[in-house]
């Protein structure tokens, strides 16, 4: 048990499902299936860590450009996840929220998302934020448009726009900035994830492919985070 960490929020780029499957001579979608199973595993592990927020990059705006078959398989896995895991989510007092461009999603998925968000809204042990059809530049643009609209409607003047106000126009308005970012699979890039919110986040890159990323490695990263000195530009 490590419930004494200062870490409030872990964001993860769950990468490497395709390569994990390829190495085993299996189709990419098999890797995604294992990856989805690992979401359940890591969500359970988070409960033990004492960290209150977990944001998972499940599908990016750019991932819509993958093959039709892969996109369809990923969306089906999401449906299955929501159907199968809803009971455990409620039992474990987990609140689920989604960030991203919902209009791009199939109607039934939009409906499911709305339902699980509403039904889990009162849960308090862990907030699981799923970035789905999410792109950070798109999110920032959307916030900028909202700010411009407020200004044109004379509800704010341009000088009123502060870091705090801008943050409140993002999808993540109710969620603290991540303390830890983890990217699996050895890639060291951000891939349009939480660009604004990661300004002072501690970064951790691991070569482990997402389906193999387990509780021990997660707890190890939290321990390493606990020893890092965060300076926020001060001396
Ligand atoms: C991450 O695994 C899952 C999604 C992006 C949906 P990838 O599918 O990107 O796996 P690799 O990077 O090709 O191995
Ligand atoms: C980022 O992974 C998106 C998700 C994990 C959902 P990608 O595999 O899509 O990113 P790139 O293409 O390697 O930058
Ligand atoms: Mg990838």
């Amino acid at each position: 048990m490590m419930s004494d960490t200062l870490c409030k929020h872990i964001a993860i780029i769950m990468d490497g499902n395709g390569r994990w499957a390829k190495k085993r001579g299996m189709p990419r979608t098999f890797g995604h299936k294992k990856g989805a199973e690992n979401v359940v595993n890591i969500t359970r592990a988070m409960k033990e860590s004492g960290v209150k927020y977990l944001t998972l990059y499940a599908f990016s705006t750019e991932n819509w450009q993958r093959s039709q078959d892969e996109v369809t398989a990923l969306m089906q896995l999401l449906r299955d996840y929501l159907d199968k895991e809803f009971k455990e989510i409620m039992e474990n007092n987990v609140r689920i929220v989604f960030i991203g461009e919902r209009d791009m999603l199939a109607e039934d998925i939009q409906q499911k998302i709305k339902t699980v968000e509403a039904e889990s809204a009162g849960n308090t042990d862990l907030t699981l934020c799923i970035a789905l059809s999410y792109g950070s530049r798109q999110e920032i643009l959307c916030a900028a448009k909202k700010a411009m609209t407020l200004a044109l409607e004379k509800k704010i003047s341009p000088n009123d726009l502060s870091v705090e106000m801008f943050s409140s126009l993002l999808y993540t308005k109710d969620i603290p900035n991540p303390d830890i970012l983890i990217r699996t699979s050895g890639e060291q890039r951000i891939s349009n994830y939480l660009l604004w919110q990661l300004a002072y986040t501690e970064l951790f890159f691991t070569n482990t492919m997402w389906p193999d990323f387990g509780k021990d490695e997660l707890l190890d990263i939290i321990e390493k985070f606990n020893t890092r000195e965060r300076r926020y530009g001060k001396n």
Side-chain angles (χ1 to χ4, degrees):
M1 282 293 273
M2 310 198 317
S3 46
D4 56 345
T5 181
L6 286 174
C7 179
K8 282 200 192 68
H9 182 182
I10 298 178
I12 305 182
I13 301 175
M14 308 185 288
D15 198 14
N17 293 347
R19 279 163 284 167
W20 183 93
K22 192 175 174 206
K23 210 176 129 196
R24 287 158 179 78
M26 300 295 280
R28 293 177 58 81
T29 48
F30 181 67
H32 293 315
K33 187 166 175 287
K34 290 289 163 187
E37 285 169 22
N38 199 35
V39 167
V40 178
N41 179 32
I42 288 298
T43 306
R44 283 187 194 139
M46 281 291 290
K47 292 258 298 179
E48 273 182 54
S49 75
V51 178
K52 288 296 216 180
Y53 293 85
L54 173 65
T55 299
L56 299 176
Y57 208 177
F59 192 86
S60 75
T61 314
E62 290 71 24
N63 289 151
W64 287 113
Q65 296 166 57
R66 293 191 178 189
S67 73
Q68 180 82 57
D69 281 359
E70 185 165 345
V71 170
T72 303
L74 282 164
M75 291 301 147
Q76 193 51 45
L77 277 171
L78 177 74
R79 286 188 184 92
D80 296 347
Y81 170 83
L82 291 173
D83 291 343
K84 276 196 279 189
E85 299 309 320
F86 183 64
K87 192 164 161 269
E88 178 165 337
I89 285 162
M90 294 306 288
E91 280 169 6
N92 283 313
N93 200 18
V94 176
R95 174 171 75 127
I96 294 211
V97 296
F98 286 83
I99 56 172
E101 284 183 84
R102 296 184 187 211
D103 294 354
M104 306 275 289
L105 299 164
E107 202 61 55
D108 71 302
I109 293 182
Q110 290 188 41
Q111 205 48 52
K112 272 188 212 296
I113 283 174
K114 245 174 124 171
T115 308
V116 297
E117 279 184 332
E119 300 219 3
S120 70
N123 294 349
T124 52
D125 274 7
L126 173 73
T127 295
L128 172 60
C129 174
I130 300 182
L132 184 67
S133 187
Y134 174 86
S136 184
R137 286 179 169 172
Q138 293 81 351
E139 177 186 33
I140 291 168
L141 261 183
C142 177
K145 286 178 191 168
K146 285 182 199 160
M148 286 177 83
T149 305
L150 289 170
L152 287 170
E153 291 170 347
K154 305 263 187 257
K155 289 183 178 140
I156 60 167
S157 87
N159 281 331
D160 294 336
L161 192 59
S162 60
V163 167
E164 291 71 28
M165 188 189 286
F166 197 78
S167 299
S168 77
L169 300 173
L170 296 169
Y171 299 140
T172 51
K173 60 180 183 305
D174 299 320
I175 294 173
N177 290 323
D179 300 295
I180 293 175
L181 171 77
I182 301 167
R183 183 170 188 145
T184 57
S185 88
E187 308 299 348
Q188 302 198 3
R189 54 177 172 259
I190 302 296
S191 301
N192 204 15
Y193 194 41
L194 303 171
L195 299 174
W196 170 280
Q197 297 87 344
L198 293 175
Y200 272 102
T201 300
E202 297 290 325
L203 309 179
F204 293 85
F205 298 100
T206 168
N207 290 330
T208 309
M209 298 294 156
W210 172 251
D212 289 333
F213 183 84
K215 175 176 157 180
D216 290 348
E217 202 171 352
L218 176 75
L219 297 182
D220 194 49
I221 287 172
I222 298 172
E223 222 163 273
K224 285 204 179 80
F225 165 85
N226 290 339
T227 66
R228 286 201 189 177
E229 184 196 2
R230 302 177 83 187
R231 296 172 70 167
Y232 301 100
K234 296 174 201 148
N235 61 10

